[in-house]
Amino acid sequence: MSQPDPVFDAPSGEAAPTGAADGASRALSRTGVLPSQALRALIAAGEVGGSTPIEEAQIQPASLDLRLGEVAYRIRASFLPGTKATVRDKLEGLTFHEIDLTKGAVLEAGCVYLVPLQEHLALRPTIAAFANPKSSTGRLDVFTRLIADYQESFDYVGEGYRGPLFAEICPRTFSVKVRTGTRLNQIRFRRRVSQQADEAPGRIGDKHLRAIHSDVGLVEGEAAIRDGLNLRISLAPVEPGGIVGYRARRYAGVIDMDNVGGYDVGQYWEAVYLGSDQRLVLDPQEFYILASKESVSVPPEYVAEMAPFDPMIGEYRVHYAGFFDPGFGYAAGKVPGAKAVLEVRSLDIPFIVEDGQIVGRLVYDRLTEIPETLYGQGIGSHYQAQGLKLSKHFRQP
């Protein structure tokens, strides 16, 4: 006998019993990303568990924050276990030393660490999961990826996965202090019941995306849509002589990942100003925080993810923390109200970007139903209505 569905058992389109952000939960699709109320059901069913109970604060509108465990392993190099090995099978020959995280410890820039997470999964055969760094992690240039047993890809666990989860952590610019319970990355769950012929499970194709934009407005004005919503970089200062971005200062000091608002911007970041040509040369040794020219919107029925790298538009990575929650930048009947902050690093060679140049794209997924609470609605969302904004660790100017 099959397990009851953790989201709803009624046919697609019938109302589910729980309340939603607009006062009534609305079933949208049997295939798609699971919202917060479905995550609570997965936890209650034991399909998502933890070595200590999962906290309500970990549950976001369409994702779950993951917590570091009690030990970190300083390892020689990044790795994947592949289909025939567990993570611990491979870890045994790669570990330099163990680090106790229970009282806090510094992870040094340029080093690679592996940390067993407190969460573990026992998913049903129709549910897979995928992960990304949290926004504040990516904006500090802390490269974080999920690894799971018998997997061939980072940030992904296949349908029906049962086993532990691990975080690979590599601080690139700043050394960071973490401890047991620190939340650096987050995980989404996607249920697949059926699949459209021309789309990944739950993924919104360009034709549908144009219809959504026509209906509610994904950006202000005309939308550039090709394999997702294309975004352009803003290198135009808000006022003459104004800041257009930030460049990270190396060797600036340690940042405690749990210290919100505790650091001066000037100690860790150099302001980027441009001349009249509105061009910026991306040095491959540097890390930049920039912003999109467009303000974007994620309507309540959808989630979005920034594609981090597209060789067709340049040899650089434009985003390390890719999840955009339902409700980000959204207000019914109003123009989109939040920029996409871009975490930019040129990969191998210096690269010139100009104001208005396409630098990335957002891909949208369906939700199975509208979340009970949207991004920015009383849940401590740090980046709603953002412009050019550094991570929450810095005292904002």
Side-chain angles (χ1 to χ4, degrees):
M1 183 176 179
S2 62
Q3 293 176 284
D5 192 288
V7 186
F8 53 83
D9 290 312
S12 178
E14 292 186 13
T18 54
D22 59 358
S25 178
R26 182 157 56 89
L28 301 171
S29 172
R30 292 189 63 83
T31 294
V33 173
L34 301 183
S36 54
Q37 58 267 36
L39 300 183
R40 293 185 181 93
L42 287 178
I43 295 166
E47 296 187 60
V48 180
S51 56
T52 60
I54 291 175
E55 303 166 10
E56 179 63 24
Q58 292 176 246
I59 301 174
Q60 304 302 323
S63 63
L64 178 74
D65 291 350
L66 299 173
R67 300 165 298 176
L68 300 184
E70 296 182 350
V71 63
Y73 301 95
R74 166 74 169 89
I75 58 176
R76 182 171 46 176
S78 175
F79 69 92
L80 280 167
T83 59
K84 297 182 179 180
T86 68
V87 173
R88 289 193 180 276
D89 289 339
K90 295 292 183 74
L91 181 62
E92 185 175 345
L94 295 173
T95 301
F96 287 151
H97 59 269
E98 298 182 13
I99 302 168
D100 181 8
L101 297 184
T102 58
K103 296 181 180 179
V106 173
L107 306 184
E108 297 183 15
C111 298
V112 184
Y113 302 87
L114 189 77
V115 180
L117 297 170
Q118 294 187 42
E119 287 69 33
H120 53 80
L121 305 179
L123 300 177
R124 64 189 60 215
T126 56
I127 295 179
F130 54 109
N132 254 306
K134 290 174 62 65
S135 294
S136 297
T137 307
R139 295 185 199 193
L140 289 178
D141 201 18
V142 179
F143 194 45
T144 305
R145 300 189 286 192
L146 186 76
I147 308 179
D149 292 345
Y150 306 110
Q151 303 299 306
E152 296 183 288
S153 302
F154 292 107
D155 287 334
Y156 176 78
V157 294
E159 294 171 347
Y161 176 79
R162 292 173 174 265
L165 301 173
F166 300 80
E168 177 192 288
I169 306 168
C170 180
R172 302 288 301 276
T173 297
F174 308 118
S175 295
V176 296
K177 185 176 183 179
V178 299
R179 56 190 54 79
T180 301
T182 296
R183 309 198 300 255
L184 297 183
N185 57 344
Q186 54 194 168
I187 192 167
R188 278 180 178 170
F189 297 88
R190 180 185 285 123
R191 184 179 57 186
R192 178 183 59 81
V193 176
S194 62
Q195 183 171 340
Q196 301 294 329
D198 61 342
E199 298 178 7
R203 184 61 50 85
I204 302 300
D206 286 353
K207 181 178 179 180
H208 189 178
L209 204 58
R210 292 187 184 97
I212 298 169
H213 175 64
S214 177
D215 184 29
V216 300
L218 299 177
V219 297
E220 71 277 23
E222 185 176 353
I225 295 176
R226 179 183 64 82
D227 296 328
L229 176 66
N230 288 221
L231 297 180
R232 304 175 186 275
I233 198 167
S234 176
L235 295 179
V238 176
E239 56 188 38
I243 296 173
V244 301
Y246 295 93
R247 181 187 296 112
R249 297 184 185 274
R250 293 179 176 272
Y251 318 112
V254 174
I255 294 176
D256 188 329
M257 297 298 294
D258 297 317
N259 185 357
V260 176
Y263 300 97
D264 292 326
V265 171
Q267 180 180 346
Y268 293 86
W269 298 94
E270 174 188 356
V272 174
Y273 302 89
L274 297 185
S276 58
D277 62 356
Q278 294 189 346
R279 290 181 174 182
L280 174 64
V281 179
L282 301 176
D283 189 311
Q285 306 302 317
E286 304 294 340
F287 178 72
Y288 301 84
I289 295 293
L290 302 167
S292 65
K293 184 166 285 289
E294 300 89 350
S295 292
V296 302
S297 172
V298 182
E301 301 88 347
Y302 305 96
V303 293
E305 182 178 357
M306 179 77 81
F309 170 62
D310 185 350
M312 293 181 65
I313 59 176
E315 294 294 324
Y316 55 86
R317 188 180 177 108
V318 74
H319 216 274
Y320 286 81
F323 286 168
F324 287 69
D325 275 328
F328 177 85
Y330 175 82
K334 298 181 180 179
V335 298
K339 303 287 187 180
V341 168
L342 309 175
E343 300 132 11
V344 183
R345 181 186 293 278
S346 184
L347 296 181
D348 295 307
I349 60 175
F351 188 83
I352 294 175
V353 290
E354 301 184 10
D355 183 58
Q357 180 175 334
I358 291 177
V359 294
R361 56 191 175 89
L362 278 179
V363 292
Y364 284 71
D365 280 1
R366 299 175 182 87
L367 283 163
T368 58
E369 58 181 318
I370 295 174
E372 293 174 328
T373 304
L374 299 177
Y375 187 86
Q377 292 187 342
I379 57 173
S381 305
H382 290 277
Y383 305 117
Q384 185 70 304
Q386 70 180 358
L388 176 67
K389 190 171 183 180
L390 296 171
S391 77
K392 63 186 180 183
H393 304 91
F394 299 98
R395 291 185 281 273
Q396 302 299 327

